[in-house]
């Protein structure tokens, strides 16, 4: 996955996945990645860790049939910028074989 970060707002970010039916509700999700400090404005883009903008994830193997059909499961990239209280997010659905 690749993220284009143009805003320099320090915050935190998560990359959870869960059933798409729960995407709009607050629900427990499995976190694939977590960044306690994300887009640190004191560093600037050239010094941000590479894994903040380009990363790979491994879908857990214990999903069974839960994600076999399109639209059943999604990965959400979520970034909360604490400097200006803004939320940025994007989602993509996925299937497993």
């Amino acid at each position: 996955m690749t993220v284009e970060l143009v805003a320099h707002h320090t915050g935190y970010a998560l990359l959870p996945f869960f059933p798409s039916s729960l995407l709009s509700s607050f629900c427990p999700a499995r976190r694939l990645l977590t960044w306690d400090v994300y887009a640190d404005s004191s560093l600037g883009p050239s010094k941000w860790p590479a894994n903040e903008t380009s990363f790979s994830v491994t879908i857990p193997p214990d999903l069974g049939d839960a994600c076999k059909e399109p639209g059943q499961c999604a990965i959400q990239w979520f970034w909360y910028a604490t400097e200006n209280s803004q939320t940025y997010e994007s989602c993509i659905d996925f299937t497993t074989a």
Side-chain angles (χ1 to χ4, degrees):
M1 301 177 120
T2 302
V3 177
E4 184 177 342
L5 289 176
V6 293
H8 305 184
H9 308 308
T10 302
Y12 62 87
L14 311 170
L15 192 72
F17 87 90
F18 37 78
S20 297
S21 61
L22 300 176
L23 235 145
S24 62
S25 64
F26 293 100
C27 65
R30 290 170 120 173
R31 292 184 183 176
L32 300 173
L33 292 172
T34 300
W35 296 267
D36 294 327
V37 177
Y38 192 76
D40 187 343
S41 62
S42 71
L43 298 177
S46 67
K47 294 184 180 169
W48 286 338
N51 76 345
E52 288 187 6
T53 55
S54 182
F55 47 86
S56 297
V57 296
T58 300
I59 302 301
D62 63 345
L63 297 178
D65 292 339
C67 301
K68 287 190 102 149
E69 299 295 324
Q72 286 182 315
C73 292
I75 294 173
Q76 178 189 49
W77 170 79
F78 175 86
W79 168 26
Y80 180 72
T82 54
E83 285 185 355
N84 59 358
S85 300
Q86 288 184 328
T87 300
Y88 306 87
E89 57 188 271
S90 184
C91 297
I92 185 169
D93 68 329
F94 68 91
T95 59
T96 57

